[in-house]
Amino acid sequence: MKSMIAFAGVAGALLAVVAPRALAGTAADGRALVEPDGEVHGVSVRPATGQVEIVIDLAGAVVVRDFTLTNPARLVVDLEGARLSAPATLYDGQNRGGVRNIRYAQFRPDVVRVVIDLDVLKDYKVERAEGTVRVRIGTERTGFAAWSSRDRADAPPVVATTTRPVSRGPAQAARVSTPSVGRTMSIEEYLAAHRNEALQSQAPRITVQWDNAGIEDVVAGFAAFSGRTIVISKGITGTVTAEIKNQPWDLAFNAVLESQGLAVQTLRGGIFNVVSKVELARADSTVPVETRLVRINYAKATSLVPAVQSIVTKQRGAVVADSVSNSLVITDVSSRINDIVEFVRGLDLRTPQVSIQAKIIFVDRTDVEELGVKYDLGSQTQFFNRLVQRPDPRTAEPVDTDLDGVPDALVPTENFDREQGIVSLGGNSLSAIGNAGQEVINPALELIFSTAIGNFDLSTFVQALQRVDLADIQAEPTITTLDNREAQILVGDKVPIRVIDVSAPSTGGAAPRATVRFEQTGINLRVTPHVTANRQILLEVHAERSNIRPAAVDIGFTFQTQQADNQILVNDGETAVIGGLTVTEVTVTKSGIPFLVDLPILGKLFGFSSQTENRRDLLILITPHIIDDLVQPAPSGSSGQ
């Protein structure tokens, strides 16, 4: 008999887990065994100031004993009077402050052992608090991410190399279902029937070949590859000859069992038990039915029904959701009811909350510069133009200027017509001196200079304006939501817009029909967070800022909108820029006397110039924070017959 197994990991580094014995009676060393009162729910590694903490979550009364071992350096913590209910999760292999590995198992029926592999032995301190045991080890390296056995991190695909596989929690362990007794399928048929499931699986992949290998050796190979404890019931024999290439290990394991007419049961502590399908069906038919009421703390009971229905006994099991108390009523054989309840507890996890703080910065800056020069030339009697109006001597009337009752001067009563624009010089009619055709509206500076040229006056008008308009708008919306739940915050106005239907028929000269609709403007933040296994946050964000302005044309209004839609992965508490935009518009207008206005430097004396620069800056920042406590209380449940 020859068998060959290619699996991830070094054979010498396999984790040995001792299966628990009976919880009552006498141990092999003669020590009396008692029913344990405590229960270990999880193990975590967390950074602290100058220390690394190993936190053991537990419930009930336990006795804590610790000791160290060398070659290699290890710290062992025994919890006497406890049983293991933590997810069977292997450590991810990352060195956290000198902690290279964490192993935990039911060392004896009443003892849970936690083994901490270290780089070197250091001073440590064990503290017992309500619901936890904390092991503090001094370290200089605290810049690492926390790890917990409660994490449900999907392991990357592995194809039978020297990389150690990452085991996952019981919710992602080997697919266990109640078998149906009938014709067994071959390994090839089983894999073909579950092809789609294999494509979507995230379980580590295995490549393996057997040649008349005993079923015991095959199961031992799967146990070594997956890091799980797998036991075989008494009386199970058989040989396997097959080849599996790049298949998820749990799917390949079920295919082998199906080809041998076997099934797998999950025992307390995450231990797999391989049994005969016939014996399992016969045992289930004689075991009495039991009903449990399991209260759901965090999830909706109705949402868990499909998952629980997939694992209950097909013929005798049932699950019903009670929406009033948010509970599941589970009925199944008494030998499986505890496994189903544990499965439900694994699904009813506290969903972390995420607080998202966004900052939308919008700056609108407008710079205006205007400069104009105009001229006026003429005399009191023979000149008029559009700049300065002069009196028309033809409308002169006698006026008493010294108030002696006798008219002594002629004073014009009307001005020349501004539209003529004619200057009479030496009996010839000439056009007035050329001027820029525009004026500075509301100028900040006005200068007038006048000089005499013969019988004529030359007046110069200088107008200048510089204006800066600045609008700085900063919005900081903050919102908190559950993981994978969309949240939206909106602050603004609903603007009524009147829509006139000129094509609608009207009678009796009535005005066209008009309707009113409302448009939302303001600050709008819509975000959907997802907390990853390594406590990063994947955000799907829609951030928008909008306002309304009167339009220059006859359509009424225009809506100015700045928005960003993005997906981004950030760390907890990290600020990320999800959008930035700068728009600059420059408008230059120049008019004046041809040729003269284009002269360098002197050209400004013969024309009008206007420059308008509009700059808009948009910046959108977002900062998420995970809000959870990592300590999840076990859901309460009651049973009934």
Side-chain angles (χ1 to χ4, degrees):
M1 178 180 65
K2 180 180 67 174
S3 64
M4 179 179 66
I5 300 177
F7 58 93
V10 181
L14 296 177
L15 173 64
V17 180
V18 180
R21 303 184 183 94
L23 297 181
T26 305
D29 56 1
R31 182 176 56 86
L33 299 179
V34 296
E35 184 74 14
D37 296 329
E39 186 172 300
V40 177
H41 296 305
V43 181
S44 305
V45 182
R46 305 175 185 175
T49 304
Q51 294 178 330
V52 56
E53 284 188 352
I54 295 89
V55 182
I56 305 172
D57 298 329
L58 52 83
V62 299
V63 178
V64 182
R65 304 185 186 277
D66 59 273
F67 58 94
T68 59
L69 299 174
T70 58
N71 297 324
R74 288 161 292 169
L75 171 60
V76 181
V77 179
D78 283 344
L79 307 172
E80 297 183 3
R83 63 183 180 90
L84 182 64
S85 64
T89 304
L90 289 185
Y91 191 71
D92 59 5
Q94 180 180 347
N95 192 321
R96 291 176 168 83
V99 176
R100 297 188 294 107
N101 192 17
I102 296 287
R103 296 170 290 159
Y104 55 92
Q106 191 77 43
F107 181 66
R108 288 196 297 265
D110 60 340
V111 176
V112 174
R113 171 165 290 183
V114 180
V115 181
I116 306 168
D117 293 342
L118 303 171
D119 287 339
V120 294
L121 291 177
K122 298 182 180 180
D123 293 337
Y124 68 95
K125 185 178 181 181
V126 180
E127 297 179 354
R128 180 72 161 87
E130 182 66 24
T132 60
V133 172
R134 295 179 181 268
V135 181
R136 304 179 186 271
I137 305 174
T139 181
E140 298 178 354
R141 295 171 292 172
T142 58
F144 55 83
W147 174 89
S148 174
S149 62
R150 297 174 182 271
D151 293 341
R152 297 295 191 267
D154 291 337
V158 179
V159 185
T161 63
T162 59
T163 303
R164 185 174 184 178
V166 179
S167 178
R168 302 181 308 282
Q172 297 174 329
R175 299 163 179 83
V176 182
S177 60
T178 302
S180 59
V181 181
R183 186 185 72 86
T184 60
M185 292 188 293
S186 65
I187 295 178
E188 293 76 11
E189 290 175 339
Y190 188 91
L191 294 177
H194 296 78
R195 182 179 295 107
N196 293 334
E197 189 176 354
L199 294 176
Q200 300 175 2
S201 175
Q202 298 295 322
R205 295 178 176 266
I206 186 173
T207 297
V208 59
Q209 179 180 350
W210 299 284
D211 184 8
N212 290 326
I215 188 65
E216 299 88 351
D217 295 334
V218 173
V219 172
F222 278 109
F225 179 84
S226 63
R228 308 300 295 266
T229 300
I230 306 177
V231 298
I232 301 178
S233 297
K234 183 178 180 180
I236 293 181
T237 59
T239 59
V240 179
T241 300
E243 181 179 3
I244 294 177
K245 294 183 179 180
N246 194 28
Q247 294 291 335
W249 78 268
D250 49 359
L251 198 64
F253 181 54
N254 283 340
V256 172
L257 297 183
E258 176 66 23
S259 66
Q260 300 292 315
L262 303 175
V264 62
Q265 286 181 312
T266 303
L267 305 179
R268 186 177 298 277
I271 300 174
F272 290 168
N273 181 30
V274 178
V275 296
S276 170
K277 293 169 63 174
V278 176
E279 294 298 329
L280 183 60
R282 182 182 299 116
D284 284 346
S285 63
T286 59
V287 174
V289 174
E290 184 177 348
T291 300
R292 294 278 184 92
L293 177 66
V294 182
R295 295 188 179 276
I296 307 301
N297 290 331
Y298 306 112
K300 290 185 178 180
T302 54
S303 65
L304 301 182
V305 171
V308 180
Q309 282 181 337
S310 65
I311 67 169
V312 298
T313 305
K314 303 304 179 184
Q315 293 79 15
R316 309 181 68 187
V319 56
V320 178
D322 179 23
S323 58
V324 177
S325 61
N326 197 38
S327 305
L328 288 178
V329 181
I330 303 173
T331 302
D332 210 325
V333 294
S334 58
S335 60
R336 288 179 48 81
I337 193 69
N338 290 332
D339 297 335
I340 298 175
V341 171
E342 290 298 325
F343 178 77
V344 173
R345 290 179 177 177
L347 295 177
D348 185 27
L349 298 177
R350 183 184 186 275
T351 302
Q353 297 185 87
V354 181
S355 175
I356 301 105
Q357 180 179 6
K359 190 169 186 178
I360 304 175
I361 303 174
F362 179 73
V363 179
D364 191 348
R365 179 186 178 95
T366 302
D367 294 336
V368 178
E369 293 183 3
E370 293 181 342
L371 177 63
V373 180
K374 294 187 178 184
Y375 300 94
D376 179 77
L377 179 65
S379 67
Q380 291 294 328
T381 59
Q382 294 182 323
F383 179 81
F384 54 90
N385 72 354
R386 298 178 182 177
L387 294 180
V388 179
Q389 291 190 356
R390 290 174 170 78
D392 187 353
R394 295 172 297 181
T395 62
E397 295 181 357
V399 176
D400 181 11
T401 60
D402 55 4
L403 303 177
D404 60 356
V406 178
D408 53 9
L410 294 176
V411 178
T413 59
E414 296 182 7
N415 295 327
F416 284 103
D417 186 0
R418 295 174 57 93
E419 301 298 328
Q420 293 182 8
I422 301 297
V423 179
S424 177
L425 295 177
N428 297 320
S429 294
L430 300 177
S431 107
I433 190 168
N435 299 289
Q438 298 188 28
E439 292 187 8
V440 176
I441 305 301
N442 298 323
L445 174 65
E446 288 185 310
L447 296 177
I448 302 177
F449 176 77
S450 179
T451 184
I453 303 178
N455 294 328
F456 296 91
D457 294 332
L458 175 64
S459 300
T460 304
F461 297 82
V462 180
Q463 296 179 332
L465 172 67
Q466 182 174 359
R467 186 179 74 251
V468 177
D469 298 333
L470 178 63
D472 187 355
I473 301 174
Q474 297 189 18
E476 298 186 17
T478 302
I479 194 168
T480 302
T481 183
L482 290 175
D483 186 23
N484 296 317
R485 301 290 180 88
E486 181 183 282
Q488 182 178 12
I489 185 171
L490 178 62
V491 179
D493 301 317
K494 286 189 175 182
V495 181
I497 304 297
R498 185 173 62 179
V499 180
I500 300 176
D501 187 3
V502 296
S503 63
S506 59
T507 58
R513 184 176 57 187
T515 59
V516 176
R517 61 184 177 89
F518 291 87
E519 293 290 341
Q520 182 70 53
T521 62
I523 304 298
N524 185 10
L525 175 64
R526 187 168 64 249
V527 59
T528 303
H530 169 64
V531 180
T532 63
N534 58 350
R535 295 183 67 77
Q536 289 184 308
I537 306 172
L538 178 64
L539 297 172
E540 183 176 348
V541 184
H542 170 82
E544 177 182 338
R545 182 261 177 188
S546 60
N547 66 332
I548 186 172
R549 284 190 177 183
V553 293
D554 59 353
I555 59 176
F557 302 96
T558 59
F559 291 88
Q560 293 184 338
T561 303
Q562 302 86 34
Q563 72 177 43
D565 293 274
N566 196 9
Q567 285 187 338
I568 190 171
L569 182 65
V570 296
N571 295 323
D572 182 16
E574 180 183 7
T575 299
V577 180
I578 66 171
L581 176 66
T582 298
V583 178
T584 302
E585 299 179 3
V586 179
T587 303
V588 177
T589 303
K590 183 172 66 175
S591 63
I593 302 174
F595 305 112
L596 295 180
V597 74
D598 295 326
L599 292 176
I601 302 176
L602 298 178
K604 295 183 178 297
L605 301 176
F606 301 97
F608 172 88
S609 63
S610 173
Q611 178 174 326
T612 303
E613 179 178 346
N614 186 270
R615 181 184 179 94
R616 298 178 182 176
D617 297 307
L618 174 66
L619 189 64
I620 301 177
L621 310 175
I622 193 164
T623 305
H625 296 275
I626 301 176
I627 305 175
D628 63 358
D629 52 12
L630 287 180
V631 180
Q632 304 173 1
S636 60
S638 59
S639 62
Q641 187 67 29

